[in-house]
Structures are given as structure tokens and as C-alpha cells.
Amino acid sequence: MWYLELGLTLSAHVNNFSDWVDACHCERNVLPRMDPLESEGGSQKSNNKPKYSKFTQQELPACKPLLTPGIVVATFLLIGIIFVPIGLASLSASQEIVELVDRYDTNCVSTLDKVGFIQNTDTDKTCTRTLTVPKHMKSPIQIYYQIGDFYQNHRRYVKSRSDKQLRYKNAVHLTKDCDPEGNTVDGAPIIPCGLIAWSLFNDTYTISVNKKAIEVNKKDIAWKSDKTDKFGSDIYPSNFQKGSLIGGAKLNESIPLSEQEDLIVWMRTAALPTFRKLYGRIETDIMANDQLTVVIQNNYNTYSFGGSKALVLSTTSWIGGKNNFIGVAYLTIGGLCIFLAVGFVVLLYMVKPRTLGDPSYLSWNRDTPDRPN
């Protein structure tokens, strides 16, 4: 019958097609996968492929904490519990420090021409100041001089020095960076050279308590590392304050630079325009209501640039000098963290409580007027 012949013919074609598909499938599994770089340009481009490593593929072990509300609240509470006691202790220690600050630059000049007064070498610049101690001051009592509006951090001022000259005896001639205070008019090197050393503070203080003179200890006021590593023990001042400009204090040429502690303290430049530098220490206690008499030799010229000078007497504690900022900063951060922790607790557990990771809160799972769930 014709339809039987047709059926046999179609069956044979189907079997042939099936065999062809199986062959193609086998070939596809057997053939190796080609790298896209090799298919584009050969083996030269494949050499540029970076070597696999966990570092380049960012697969190194890492901590990836899940910041749940409980962890966030606990972290804020922990920071607050640690910071608040530190802030209270710092603030309490700062409040216990007794500090006397007396600005004397304006009261120690009797004329309107302050610059002319301070530059005149014939005028008597002695000034007497009387202070009353408000509280008991325990020794050691630090004596500082405070200068305002003096920019020791100016680039040209900071660079005007020769560190090698200060340290090595065979480098005393290295004054290239010290202009205009590098050499004298005759060409001899100035030791120490530069504007920093030239502008050395030269006011002096003589202190008496209840009309009884007390000694001011000026030893060990500089950093030990500065004395041993930055200033040579065999380097002596030479031609200092003999240049074309008249500067500040003079140095004893019989004492090496490593023992000139006033100079070492001054050479450590300040970062801010108002700064304090250590002048000396008082090794005896001063009682409350004692009268301090300070005889000042007002020599340092801060009037030509509108600066200020002050004498500071201060006790110390485990945090150093008087500084309320540290305590206030710790209290502020600690209090803010506790406030945030309480706010998270109230918001997430009382006002709008919800189950962590609840999919019913997703926008597409909520019932809306135009699309009921």
C-alpha cells in the first residue's frame, strides 16, 4: 500500500536525523573549549592573561559581619561605657591642675612707641609683676613662656637651619640653608646658623615667694633625644648674634650646643601660632594665697609683628598640663554613642518592632488599594 511505503520512508529519515544529532552532540563534548583570547589573536595575547591568585581575585579570607540591630546597639553601648569614664577621669584631672597665666607685654612698656622702647639698648626693661596663688600648687611647678601670633611653622623659617652643622664638627661650614643668618660680614660661619636660632627667646624671670627668692631649675627641660641625637657635644657657639641683624638671646661660647637647653627647646618649632615653651621648674610647693613676685627682663621683641607674651606657671597631672578638650571630647563621643544606642532600642524594639529579615515587610508583599495581596 502506498501509505505503508510512505511511513517506512519517513521512519528511515527520522532515524538518520537522530543519528546525526547524536554525532554532533558527541563532537561538541569531545572538542576542547577555546579561550576567547586564543580565538582572537593566537598565543601571544593569551600570555598577557594574569596568573590566578586569591589576592587578585579578591578571594582572601575576610571578616564580613552581619550588622544586626543587636550588634549595632551593643557596639554603641560598649563605646559609650568605655569613653564616658575616660572623659570624666580626664576632665577631673584637668580641673585639679592649678595654672597661673600673666600677660605682661603690654603692662611692661611705659611708652606708646613700644617698638622703639624694646629696640633701645639703653632703656631699663626691668618689669615687676605680683601674682596671688589661688590654690595649693604641688611641685614640680612648670614655668612656661607663651608667645602669641608667632608663626614658627612658616616654611622659610622652618628651613632656615643646618641640622648637620648642629650635629657634626666637620660640617660647621654648611650654612647654605641659613640665609640671611649663615655667615658674618667677614664670611665666617655662624654657629648655630639660621633664623630659628637667631630669634632665640631672651626674656628672663626671677621669682620669689612672699619676698623669699626661690631657685628655678633649668636642667632637663629639653628632650633627651634632642640633646643626644640632634646637637653635638663637641660643637660650640661661634659668631652667634654677630651678623647683620640683631636677634634674640646670646649663647655662652664655652658651653657645647648639647648643653644649651634653652636653645634646644626653642629649636623644636611649634605647629601653631600661639605656643608655650618650657622655661624651667620650681621644685618646692607654693601654698594658697602666697604672693609671687616675678622680676621680668622684658627683652624679646614681639611688638614689631603684633605678638603677645605671657608667663605661665602650672602644675601637672597624669594627662600633662591643663587641657579640658580631651575630657570634653571623650564625654561627647561616649554620650552620643549611648544616645544612639538608646534611640535604636526605642525605635526598633518599641516604636516599630519587626522581625529581622521578615519578607512581609517588602514593598511588593504589602497590601495596597490597587493591588491586594
Side-chain angles (χ1 to χ4, degrees), residues 172-344:
V172 294
H173 63 283
L174 299 178
T175 60
K176 181 179 66 174
D177 297 330
C178 296
D179 289 337
E181 286 299 311
N183 299 281
T184 62
V185 178
D186 299 332
I190 299 174
I191 307 172
C193 68
L195 290 175
I196 303 178
W198 170 82
S199 60
L200 176 62
F201 187 77
N202 61 343
D203 284 5
T204 60
Y205 310 117
T206 303
I207 302 176
S208 60
V209 180
N210 297 328
K211 298 182 179 180
K212 182 180 179 181
I214 59 175
E215 182 182 358
V216 176
N217 183 10
K218 295 180 70 66
K219 292 185 177 181
D220 297 328
I221 61 175
W223 290 16
K224 184 178 180 180
S225 60
D226 286 352
K227 292 191 293 183
T228 58
D229 299 336
K230 293 186 177 182
F231 294 83
S233 59
D234 56 349
I235 310 298
Y236 293 84
S238 176
N239 301 314
F240 189 66
Q241 300 295 5
K242 295 179 181 179
S244 57
L245 299 175
I246 299 175
K250 296 182 178 181
L251 298 176
N252 190 339
E253 295 189 356
S254 63
I255 301 177
L257 295 184
S258 60
E259 298 180 13
Q260 306 265 7
E261 297 200 42
D262 286 326
L263 172 68
I264 297 173
V265 171
W266 180 258
M267 293 287 285
R268 180 168 284 277
T269 55
L272 300 176
T274 300
F275 56 86
R276 295 177 180 179
K277 291 186 181 291
L278 188 59
Y279 179 83
R281 297 185 183 91
I282 298 175
E283 303 292 347
T284 58
D285 291 1
I286 301 178
M287 301 302 170
N289 299 320
D290 281 352
Q291 295 292 322
L292 283 179
T293 303
V294 184
V295 179
I296 303 172
Q297 291 296 325
N298 184 27
N299 300 316
Y300 199 70
N301 184 9
T302 59
Y303 306 99
S304 59
F305 58 87
S308 62
K309 295 186 293 184
L311 172 67
V312 180
L313 281 78
S314 175
T315 59
T316 56
S317 67
W318 60 271
I319 63 169
K322 192 176 186 65
N323 188 349
N324 294 331
F325 174 78
I326 297 177
V328 172
Y330 272 103
L331 284 176
T332 302
I333 299 300
L336 181 61
C337 288
I338 292 176
F339 173 78
L340 291 175
V342 174
F344 274 119

Side-chain angles (χ1 to χ4, degrees), residues 341-354:
V342 174
F344 274 119
V345 170
V346 173
L347 181 64
L348 298 177
Y349 294 99
M350 297 181 182
V351 178
K352 291 185 177 181
R354 57 171 290 182

